[in-house]
Amino acid sequence: MGTNRRQVALLASLVVGVLLPVLVTAGYLYTRAVDQYASTVAFSVRTESMPSPIELIGGIADIPTSGSADADILFAFIRSQEMVETLDARLGLVEMFSRPEGDPVFGFDPTGSIEDLTDYWRRMVEVIYDPGTGLIEVRALAFAPEDARVIATGVMEESARLIDDLSRVARDDTTAFAREELERAVERLKLARERLTRFRSVTQIVDPSADLQGQMGVLGSLEGQLAATLIDADLLRESTRSGDPRLRQAERRIAVIEARIAAERRKLGQGAGGTGGGDYASLLSEFERLAVDREFAEQSYRAALAAHDQAQAEARRKSRYLAAHIRPTLAQSSEHPRRIVLTAMVGFFALCLWALAALVYYSIRDRR
């Protein structure tokens, strides 16, 4: 009689602990759970390095490679709260996920916080990432086929925007230093040219070197005339008296030529009575200093311009982009929730718990 009671109790516990949960689960799944539709999109982050001319000549060409670091960032971004907030503002995720009013288990409570929505997002959007190949597959669930595809499309668009932003930041970082150096070189060249222009405006001399050559020619001509006049005067002294008018005229001519030579030499900075900064020696020294500054500024500008062009070419040569090998799909039939699988799982775990509890009970009973 006691054995029969134990068997009845064991059978009752089996019904309550295993059969009842299975029936409740199956009843809910088949009567209240709303169908869910899946949309799948798959893509990868590609970094395409365009070959330089030297590499083309050598027959070496870069091929598109996967950006694993960018894919890691993208994997975290898709599951982040920022992605949820962005798509909620764009698409209205709360409205999409809270449509099944009679399904509190699989539906989203519209009064939930952004943290609740993020947790629910990670339940409804599965991200599969293969670090070896860099491929990312996203499966979005929703209670309407169109909503699932809209969510998958939004994920792909926001992912592409993130990769574009990362590429732009990397490009700006690559060219920022070269651009700053170019701007400094331009300002240095402008200042050097302004100083040289101011010098020419003040002195009214375009090129002191050319002007000096002209003055040297004048000085050489005067010295030649002086030598000829001295010879004529010597000849007159030998053939005439001391008071001869021609001799006095030759001496006056000599004095005028010598005075002119002295004045020209003072202008060239070679005389004893120079005019300070206005003599040709000072002007030529100042002009050469300004010319050297301008030449150095021009060389710096050319070097900075070449470095800037090279940095821009390097930034353009390496570009990131999102390559989608599976476009967002549109489901024709519902595959979720997996009612048979969920019911079988509940039954399996309930049976395991029931068996464990029965073993513990009989073990304790036998010891008594």
Side-chain angles (χ1 to χ4, degrees), residues 24-168:
V24 171
T25 301
Y28 185 89
L29 289 174
Y30 283 95
T31 59
R32 300 193 62 182
V34 180
D35 291 341
Q36 298 176 17
Y37 300 87
S39 178
T40 301
V41 61
F43 45 77
S44 60
V45 181
R46 312 298 291 177
T47 301
E48 183 174 7
S49 297
M50 299 175 61
S52 63
I54 296 178
E55 293 171 340
L56 287 175
I57 294 175
I60 304 175
D62 294 337
I63 60 176
T65 57
S66 60
S68 58
D70 295 330
D72 294 338
I73 295 174
L74 192 57
F75 173 77
F77 174 71
I78 295 174
R79 295 171 50 85
S80 68
Q81 180 175 323
E82 181 182 356
M83 171 67 86
V84 176
E85 291 175 344
T86 302
L87 291 184
D88 185 34
R90 282 184 51 190
L91 309 176
L93 293 180
V94 173
E95 181 181 357
M96 290 182 179
F97 290 149
S98 60
R99 284 181 179 176
E101 298 179 355
D103 186 4
V105 174
F106 295 99
F108 176 72
D109 183 5
T111 61
S113 63
I114 185 61
E115 289 78 12
D116 297 332
L117 183 59
T118 302
D119 293 338
Y120 186 81
W121 168 268
R122 293 170 181 172
R123 283 174 46 195
M124 299 295 284
V125 178
E126 181 183 7
V127 184
I128 303 172
Y129 171 47
D130 184 359
T133 60
L135 300 179
I136 297 177
E137 181 178 339
V138 179
R139 187 190 62 182
L141 297 178
F143 299 101
E146 296 78 7
D147 291 347
R149 185 166 67 172
V150 167
I151 293 174
T153 302
V155 170
M156 185 178 67
E157 291 174 351
E158 290 301 318
S159 300
R161 180 189 60 80
L162 175 65
I163 296 303
D164 291 341
D165 292 343
L166 293 176
S167 183
R168 183 176 63 255

Side-chain angles (χ1 to χ4, degrees), residues 2-15:
T3 305
N4 291 334
R5 268 199 310 269
R6 287 196 300 270
Q7 292 176 350
V8 171
L10 185 62
L11 182 61
S13 65
L14 176 63
V15 172

Side-chain angles (χ1 to χ4, degrees), residues 202-217:
V202 172
T203 61
Q204 299 296 313
I205 299 175
V206 176
D207 187 356
S209 299
D211 196 80
L212 178 61
Q213 291 180 358
Q215 294 296 329
M216 290 298 294

Side-chain angles (χ1 to χ4, degrees), residues 159-233:
S159 300
R161 180 189 60 80
L162 175 65
I163 296 303
D164 291 341
D165 292 343
L166 293 176
S167 183
R168 183 176 63 255
V169 170
R171 185 168 57 250
D172 292 341
D173 291 343
T174 302
T175 59
F177 178 75
R179 183 170 59 252
E180 292 175 359
E181 287 295 319
L182 179 61
E183 291 174 355
R184 282 195 289 266
V186 169
E187 292 299 324
R188 190 184 301 117
L189 180 59
K190 287 181 179 178
L191 183 60
R193 288 179 173 176
E194 288 175 359
R195 289 175 178 174
L196 188 58
T197 302
R198 190 181 307 115
F199 170 83
R200 289 169 173 170
S201 299
V202 172
T203 61
Q204 299 296 313
I205 299 175
V206 176
D207 187 356
S209 299
D211 196 80
L212 178 61
Q213 291 180 358
Q215 294 296 329
M216 290 298 294
V218 172
L219 185 60
S221 176
L222 290 175
E223 290 178 344
Q225 295 179 26
L226 178 61
T229 304
L230 287 174
I231 293 173
D232 293 340

Side-chain angles (χ1 to χ4, degrees), residues 268-330:
L268 294 174
Q270 298 174 353
T275 58
D279 58 64
Y280 266 86
S282 300
L283 293 177
L284 185 60
S285 175
E286 179 68 13
F287 176 79
E288 288 178 349
R289 184 181 68 81
L290 294 176
V292 169
D293 290 344
R294 186 190 64 177
E295 183 179 359
F296 177 76
E298 289 176 347
Q299 293 178 354
S300 300
Y301 171 74
R302 286 193 291 267
L305 183 60
H308 182 260
D309 292 341
Q310 183 178 2
Q312 284 188 327
E314 183 67 18
R316 288 192 299 266
R317 204 167 66 88
K318 294 182 178 180
S319 59
R320 297 183 181 94
Y321 63 93
L322 193 73
H325 54 276
I326 299 179
R327 294 287 177 178
T329 59
L330 180 64

